[in-house]
Amino acid sequence: MAEVVVLPLGELMAKRAGSVDPSKYPDEVFDLYSIPAFDKGVHDLAAGSAIGSTKQVVKPNDILLSKIVPHIRRSWVVGQYNGRRMIASGEWIVFRSDRVDPTYLRHVLISDPFHAQFMSTVSGVGGSLLRARPSEVAKIKIPLPPLLEQRRIAAILDQADALRSKRREALAKLDELRQAIFLQMFGDPRGNDKGWPELPFDAIISDVRGGASLEPDDFKQEGFPILHKGAIKRNGEIELDSKKKTFVPHDYAKRRSSCIATNRHIAVS
């Protein structure tokens, strides 16, 4: 069996990737790999006139690692060339090497052991201003088996991802069933078609207090939603937009939270 090499990520980082100012090519359409595009799940097609700043030039099979808001794990493999120039936000660290299988490296970059080290490279004042420092990321060492073994490992992890995706879909269906049962029993709260008595929110709640203990690794892109206190208004309105909630793993509520309710008080911790 071939030996597994351990090497610093700096050896896999793209050297002299190049850059382009799309605004100089206003009519040209680019394949744009941005952070918002990653969150949507597909890269953008954008005209140069719509792209506001200089971008990195990337190539098919480059591996991207987000250095912004580092507690959210974002790693992306650049797709196939489709006749358009391919560019990426400067918020990505770009890896490019014939020594690594792109899918294998992506799995490494979102793994728990790597993420723990990655978070130690972070600087900034908080929130969206937190960034990983590429010079420190370059020092993190990862295992690099032979290419055939990398591909075998990547295939297994891809299968695991597919199973997790199917499980999420099944849970979503169960949530839909739960909501349907609720509506059947109690009606739609927005229209109160069952004619239940109505009271303003502040008539039954005197205090809302929070104190959930969250660590950087607790935050996820999906999972169990936790409302910020600012989402609950005294007039009874509850704001459910993305700025007013945070996602944590589904088992977070069982592990670390509790809710005590009375007719005049709700406390969440």
Side-chain angles (χ1 to χ4, degrees), residues 116-135:
Q117 297 181 77
F118 183 62
M119 290 301 295
S120 70
T121 73
V122 171
S123 64
V125 296
S128 61
L129 297 179
L130 282 177
R131 282 176 172 79
R133 292 167 289 174
S135 60

Side-chain angles (χ1 to χ4, degrees), residues 239-258:
E239 296 182 20
L240 297 178
D241 61 67
S242 59
K243 296 179 181 178
K244 297 294 185 180
K245 61 186 174 183
T246 296
F247 289 104
V248 295
H250 282 285
D251 64 347
Y252 180 87
K254 295 179 180 178
R255 290 187 289 114
R256 302 171 67 174
S257 68
S258 61

Side-chain angles (χ1 to χ4, degrees), residues 81-99:
Y81 176 69
N82 291 305
R84 296 174 293 271
R85 280 200 279 182
M86 310 169 85
I87 56 177
S89 163
E91 299 294 358
W92 295 108
I93 302 172
V94 181
F95 300 91
R96 180 184 302 156
S97 174
D98 294 336
R99 301 172 62 185

Side-chain angles (χ1 to χ4, degrees), residues 60-250:
N61 290 324
D62 281 356
I63 306 94
L64 310 178
L65 174 66
S66 173
K67 59 186 177 184
I68 191 172
V69 195
H71 59 267
I72 297 178
R73 306 183 195 196
R74 294 184 176 101
S75 183
W76 210 357
V77 177
V78 176
Q80 296 180 346
Y81 176 69
N82 291 305
R84 296 174 293 271
R85 280 200 279 182
M86 310 169 85
I87 56 177
S89 163
E91 299 294 358
W92 295 108
I93 302 172
V94 181
F95 300 91
R96 180 184 302 156
S97 174
D98 294 336
R99 301 172 62 185
V100 67
D101 176 77
T103 305
Y104 169 80
L105 183 56
R106 183 185 68 82
H107 281 294
V108 170
L109 297 178
I110 60 175
S111 68
D112 288 345
F114 174 81
H115 191 69
Q117 297 181 77
F118 183 62
M119 290 301 295
S120 70
T121 73
V122 171
S123 64
V125 296
S128 61
L129 297 179
L130 282 177
R131 282 176 172 79
R133 292 167 289 174
S135 60
E136 294 301 311
V137 175
K139 299 175 185 178
I140 299 176
K141 294 182 178 180
I142 66 164
L144 199 67
L147 272 172
L148 287 178
E149 181 66 6
Q150 291 179 42
R151 291 168 184 150
R152 187 187 73 83
I153 293 171
I156 293 172
L157 294 175
D158 280 347
Q159 290 176 1
D161 279 350
L163 289 173
R164 281 192 290 268
S165 178
K166 289 180 180 179
R167 182 174 180 271
R168 286 194 295 269
E169 291 174 4
L171 289 173
K173 294 294 183 183
L174 286 174
D175 285 341
E176 291 176 8
L177 177 61
R178 186 182 300 113
Q179 293 170 19
I181 293 172
F182 177 90
L183 291 174
Q184 183 180 19
M185 293 178 64
F186 302 106
D188 189 340
R190 294 170 297 183
N192 194 17
D193 51 356
K194 298 284 188 179
W196 298 106
E198 296 184 2
L199 289 173
F201 190 68
D202 61 0
I204 58 172
I205 300 298
S206 63
D207 185 28
V208 177
R209 295 185 288 112
S213 176
L214 290 166
E215 301 295 335
D217 285 350
D218 288 324
F219 295 98
K220 306 295 179 183
Q221 292 174 268
E222 58 185 18
F224 184 84
I226 293 181
L227 285 177
H228 300 181
K229 286 190 296 182
I232 304 174
K233 305 300 181 183
R234 297 293 295 188
N235 64 2
E237 295 181 357
I238 299 178
E239 296 182 20
L240 297 178
D241 61 67
S242 59
K243 296 179 181 178
K244 297 294 185 180
K245 61 186 174 183
T246 296
F247 289 104
V248 295
H250 282 285

